Amino acid sequence: MSRSLHWWDVIALGVGGMVGAGVFVSTGTAAHKYAGPSVVIAYLIAGVSALLSALCYTEFAVEMPVAGGAFSYLRITFGEFAAFITGANLIMEYVLSNAAVARSFTSYAASAYGVLHADAWRVHVDGLASGYDQIDPVAVLVVLLLTVCLCCSTQKSSMFNLVMTVLHIAFIFFIIIAGFVKGDTENLMQAGDAAANPSGFAPLGIRGIFNGAAVVYFSYIGFDAVSTTAEEVKNPARNMPIGVSGSVIIVTVLYTLIAVALCMLQPYDMIDTGAPFSTAFQHVVGLEWATNFIGAGASLGIMTSLLVAMLGQARYLCVLGRANIVPRWFAAVNPTTGTPINATVFLGACTAGIALFTDLSVLLNLISIGTLFVFYMVANALIFHRHHVPGKTDALPTAAFLTLLSVLAITFVTAWQCDKYNRHNWTLYLLGGLAVALTTLFWVKVPTAQRGKDWSVPCMPWVAAASIFLNVFLLGSVDKDSYIRFLTWTAIAVVFYLLYGVHSTHDAEALMSLDIPLKEFAFDTTSEEKYIEQKLEEGCRPIVVQVKGESPYWNQVMPPSLQSVKLAITLD
């Protein structure tokens, strides 16, 4: 794929991917049911967790600037099977969540025209099952429009996203300024119905804050799609860390400010969980018209998040095709536009088909668990990659540490969920202390075997260990239906891999191992170095290959020092 993206493009893609429909729904639910005004602290906690995961992604993205994202990182670290299972789940999450977001676009776009009924722009069809009987042609048109945009050019799609993101950020600043100007600081400490609901900044205590963090965390999902664009980023060693981490920090600041604005406009127990911002402005004297404006702004946010997510899902499938785990047809890159056109069109059609029939409430029960699972796997992979080199170091200490840390995290979240009345907080302190002690012991006793040459995550293994612990904690808040979906889809992926994927990759490796006659060539060191420098300046990327000389003639003419060489391959 062509390298055409700068760091500001990466930041815009990250912000556009995260600031979507999530913040307009999850903020009201978290504030009303769990955290109250301390939802701002919940956003900060979720932002720290997202930043930890983003840092883990970034080191891999710099070291392996290819389009596969988590699939490529896990394939190198844990092997093909683990990578395929996580990649298949992530693609499924993308398709389902994109369909859900596309249907929510219809509702917000209708509210922008003053139509408050959610299904006003949908067509009811008798005879279909409940949850699948509201046909949504608007969602289909939006998905198909963005599919065409993504097929044309990544750079043009990025420019479209940049413009939409700037407009959306301006809209969010309007909400923040209006909330701070028209809001009342007393709402941050008082409940609307003090007789029925507790007052205070954190009315349900620290448990409410963390439960709220689990709810609002899903507003951050989207930065992982940015890592799939690493193959299209110029100078990824500099631009990827700036872009990914910068976008998470910017979004965290925006989320905390917009949460404070909402809680100042209304007491937490009066906040509507379905459309919190629209409802809040209906009660602000002189700003009743802002309800329509919010619908238009939310539509912009949904459009940008949908664009970035559809960009990411196509690149995951493209890399699965490159690995021959799925048909290689999906790996085709259009030579004119430099985009994975087949994967983009196929997944765009799947998303449109699901968005046409399936109700939002059905889809929302099926998303999120796969993304958290992938974040958890990438953090594990980074620690394993840092401390284990095949053939040089023993994998057992690192594997044992990761297993014990996961067990402690699962035990912690189980104790947290079971002890709803805070009667056994000492258990949580004990488990947390054991996790810190275990990480300290690993840090002292197991040396780092390798690190990224161009950029590496600081404070390892603490950053990745904290990411593992927090992701397991958030996985503990996912509902039962999501786990059923996760296990069902994983079983389907395993069957597909056993019946097709493993045989397809084996056949591909057998074809590549055939003896192919090589052309004779003259090697001029000076001219070759100049040629390589020229190609690198033009945006070509170096590919590291290992050459094993089995021909007697090859062994005679090549000195031993060149048995393993680095070559700059021209990919015309």
Side-chain angles (χ1 to χ4, degrees):
M1 304 183 196
S2 58
R3 292 193 177 275
S4 57
L5 302 180
H6 300 274
W7 62 265
W8 53 85
D9 295 309
V10 180
I11 287 180
L13 287 171
V15 173
M18 284 181 279
V19 184
V23 66
F24 296 106
V25 177
S26 63
T27 307
T29 302
H32 183 89
K33 294 184 177 181
Y34 303 107
S38 63
V39 66
V40 60
I41 307 299
Y43 265 118
L44 289 174
I45 293 172
V48 170
S49 179
L51 182 60
L52 295 175
S53 296
L55 290 172
C56 296
Y57 263 85
T58 302
E59 178 166 331
F60 278 120
V62 170
E63 187 172 345
M64 291 177 279
V66 293
F71 170 78
S72 298
Y73 314 151
L74 294 172
R75 191 183 185 207
I76 292 294
T77 309
F78 292 139
E80 183 178 86
F81 177 72
F84 174 70
I85 296 304
T86 52
N89 269 286
L90 195 54
I91 289 176
M92 186 64 175
E93 296 295 333
Y94 269 122
V95 172
L96 292 175
S97 61
N98 288 344
V101 169
R103 288 184 71 91
S104 66
F105 174 87
T106 304
S107 300
Y108 276 109
S111 68
Y113 286 90
V115 181
L116 299 181
H117 191 271
D119 294 326
W121 285 7
R122 300 188 177 106
V123 180
H124 178 75
V125 178
D126 295 326
L128 296 179
S130 177
Y132 303 90
D133 55 351
Q134 296 288 344
I135 305 301
D136 195 334
V138 176
V140 174
L141 289 175
V142 170
V143 171
L144 295 180
L145 173 65
L146 294 180
T147 299
V148 172
C149 182
L150 289 169
C151 287
C152 293
S153 169
T154 303
Q155 177 63 26
K156 292 179 181 178
S157 301
S158 175
M159 288 300 299
F160 174 76
N161 171 78
L162 183 60
V163 173
M164 297 290 281
T165 300
V166 169
L167 293 175
H168 188 218
I169 295 302
F171 156 78
I172 288 179
F173 272 114
F174 165 78
I175 295 179
I176 294 171
I177 294 172
F180 277 85
V181 172
K182 294 288 188 176
D184 186 353
T185 56
E186 290 187 4
N187 290 333
L188 297 176
M189 300 302 295
Q190 293 291 332
D193 186 359
N197 299 300
S199 296
F201 183 70
L204 298 181
I206 189 171
R207 182 178 295 274
I209 293 175
F210 276 100
N211 287 337
V215 173
V216 302
Y217 183 80
F218 304 122
S219 301
Y220 288 91
I221 292 175
F223 71 82
D224 58 307
V226 180
S227 69
T228 65
T229 65
E231 188 173 321
E232 299 156 273
V233 175
K234 295 180 179 180
N235 191 6
R238 180 176 69 94
N239 292 335
M240 287 303 294
I242 296 174
V244 176
S245 302
S247 62
V248 174
I249 293 172
I250 290 172
V251 166
T252 301
V253 173
L254 290 176
Y255 282 172
T256 52
L257 291 176
I258 202 172
V260 172
L262 176 64
C263 292
M264 289 177 63
L265 287 172
Q266 275 188 303
Y268 81 92
D269 56 339
M270 306 296 291
I271 293 175
D272 182 68
T273 57
F277 294 97
S278 299
T279 306
F281 275 96
Q282 286 179 352
H283 298 86
V284 179
V285 178
L287 289 179
E288 296 85 354
W289 56 269
T291 300
N292 296 353
F293 182 65
I294 287 173
S299 300
L300 291 178
I302 290 170
M303 186 81 77
T304 54
S305 64
L306 187 59
L307 175 72
V308 177
M310 291 180 64
L311 180 144
Q313 70 180 11
R315 277 141 187 82
Y316 273 115
L317 186 59
C318 173
V319 173
L320 289 175
R322 287 178 179 177
N324 294 284
I325 300 177
V326 299
R328 195 164 181 81
W329 180 82
F330 291 112
V333 175
N334 187 284
T336 303
T337 63
T339 57
I341 190 167
N342 292 348
T344 302
V345 171
F346 175 78
L347 290 179
C350 291
T351 303
I354 295 173
L356 179 64
F357 293 97
T358 313
D359 188 66
L360 182 63
S361 62
V362 176
L363 291 170
L364 288 177
N365 289 327
L366 302 177
I367 59 177
S368 299
I369 186 173
T371 307
L372 282 169
F373 177 70
V374 172
F375 291 172
Y376 164 80
M377 290 293 292
V378 169
N380 278 275
L382 181 59
I383 292 179
F384 196 82
H385 181 70
R386 279 283 197 101
H387 294 271
H388 174 62
V389 177
K392 294 184 180 180
T393 60
D394 186 7
L396 183 59
T398 306
F401 164 71
L402 294 175
T403 303
L404 290 174
L405 183 63
S406 296
V407 169
L408 285 173
I410 293 171
T411 307
F412 183 93
V413 72
T414 303
W416 173 274
Q417 294 293 343
C418 294
D419 185 24
K420 295 183 178 180
Y421 299 101
N422 301 323
R423 295 174 179 173
H424 303 288
N425 283 340
W426 63 267
T427 307
L428 302 178
Y429 295 132
L430 176 62
L431 292 170
L434 288 175
V436 173
L438 178 65
T439 306
T440 304
L441 181 64
F442 178 77
W443 178 45
V444 173
K445 293 294 184 180
V446 182
T448 300
Q450 60 182 348
R451 64 176 69 239
K453 295 180 180 178
D454 297 317
W455 189 86
S456 59
V457 178
C459 303
M460 284 289 291
W462 295 98
V463 169
S467 179
I468 291 171
F469 205 91
L470 284 172
N471 282 313
V472 171
F473 179 82
L474 294 170
L475 279 168
S477 67
V478 177
D479 60 16
K480 181 179 68 175
D481 291 338
S482 295
Y483 277 101
I484 294 173
R485 199 279 317 155
F486 176 76
L487 294 175
T488 303
W489 176 246
T490 299
I492 295 173
V494 170
V495 172
F496 177 86
Y497 180 78
L498 294 177
L499 295 180
Y500 178 86
V502 67
H503 305 289
S504 178
T505 53
H506 176 77
D507 294 340
E509 289 174 357
L511 286 174
M512 288 188 290
S513 66
L514 295 177
D515 292 330
I516 301 175
L518 300 176
K519 296 180 180 180
E520 294 184 2
F521 67 94
F523 188 83
D524 181 359
T525 304
T526 304
S527 61
E528 189 71 13
E529 288 179 353
K530 292 181 179 179
Y531 172 77
I532 291 174
E533 290 179 1
Q534 178 185 351
K535 285 296 180 182
L536 291 176
E537 291 175 357
E538 293 174 358
C540 289
R541 62 189 178 95
I543 299 179
V544 179
V545 297
Q546 287 188 332
V547 180
K548 184 178 181 181
E550 296 181 346
S551 167
Y553 177 73
W554 174 268
N555 287 330
Q556 290 175 10
V557 299
M558 298 299 291
S561 61
L562 288 180
Q563 290 300 310
S564 179
V565 297
K566 288 184 179 180
L567 303 175
I569 309 298
T570 305
L571 298 177
D572 293 329

